Amino acid sequence: MALRELKVCLLGDTGVGKSSIVWRFVEDSFDPNINPTIWASFMTKTVQYQNELHKFLIWDTAGQERFRALAPMYYGGSAAAIIVYDITKEETFSTLKNWVKELRQHGPPNIVVAIAGNKCDLIDVREVMERDAKDYADSIHAIFVETSAKNAININELFIEISERIPSRTPTRHLAVRASNSADSHQSQSEAAAAEPQIRW
């Protein structure tokens, strides 16, 4: 079966839930006391999409301003970028637009952009209207979903949509796939290449 390695970078302000989205997708877990990312963290997960395996190489970047200059190291060469904002904080949506501008100017030319409005379980304190965010995403031809890492809402769907948007001409390589039921792990790139579970979508 063809294996496609898809580098995905998460961008956005600190505290919007980037790490929580990754942990929910990879480990299906949620930690309300997760520490802010320093520099960046790396995780992987392999899923079956149609007749291929998509191995997501996920770079979760730090949201603090002092680390922003490092972002090009992580979105460079990415197949997709997930830009996350907090639906309860209008300023995080404004920051998102700056990330979009930066990607358009300095990111890979065919990068798939996905916008994730996280913490949709906190609808009672919403500051960013879903329609406004959806209209903006449509205007830049980006994927749009509202997510809740806490309640596991639209997390898998976000990555499914990325799989659907990746151009079919992306190079593939063929590997003998070993079945495994173990969880993907937070690990080095060399370890990540060893053995992973394959999740069927």
Side-chain angles (χ1 to χ4, degrees), residues 24-184:
R24 175 60 76 181
F25 177 60
V26 174
E27 302 284 357
D28 194 22
S29 66
F30 177 79
D31 179 0
N33 300 312
I34 193 168
N35 292 322
T37 300
I38 303 299
W39 303 94
S41 65
F42 177 75
M43 300 184 77
T44 70
K45 182 171 182 175
T46 300
V47 300
Q48 183 171 338
Y49 176 73
Q50 296 181 354
N51 63 341
E52 296 181 325
L53 293 177
H54 286 186
K55 180 178 181 180
F56 290 101
L57 312 176
I58 307 169
W59 287 98
D60 171 23
T61 66
Q64 298 94 323
E65 183 64 29
R66 67 182 184 274
F67 295 121
R68 180 158 182 160
L70 301 174
M73 295 172 53
Y74 303 106
Y75 65 65
S78 289
I82 301 171
I83 313 177
V84 185
Y85 70 95
D86 179 345
I87 72 161
T88 72
K89 295 181 179 179
E90 176 71 37
E91 64 271 19
T92 66
F93 187 67
S94 299
T95 302
L96 174 148
K97 295 179 180 179
N98 294 332
W99 280 116
V100 170
K101 183 179 179 180
E102 179 171 334
L103 283 174
R104 293 301 188 223
Q105 292 177 343
H106 305 295
N110 297 318
I111 192 169
V112 173
V113 176
I115 292 175
N118 197 35
K119 306 185 185 181
C120 68
D121 53 292
L122 301 178
I123 192 170
D124 291 343
V125 289
R126 172 192 292 275
E127 291 186 2
V128 182
M129 295 298 103
E130 183 177 6
R131 172 49 57 187
D132 293 341
K134 177 67 164 59
D135 287 346
Y136 174 71
D138 288 345
S139 74
I140 61 169
H141 309 290
I143 295 166
F144 172 75
V145 292
E146 285 198 341
T147 59
S148 170
K150 179 180 180 180
N151 293 344
I153 297 172
N154 285 337
I155 302 299
N156 287 339
E157 289 78 1
L158 171 60
F159 285 86
I160 290 171
E161 290 209 41
I162 289 172
S163 287
E164 291 174 347
R165 289 278 191 102
I166 297 297
S168 59
R169 64 179 179 274
T170 301
T172 63
R173 61 190 178 93
H174 295 264
L175 295 178
V177 179
R178 294 181 298 172
S180 170
N181 293 320
S182 62
D184 282 75

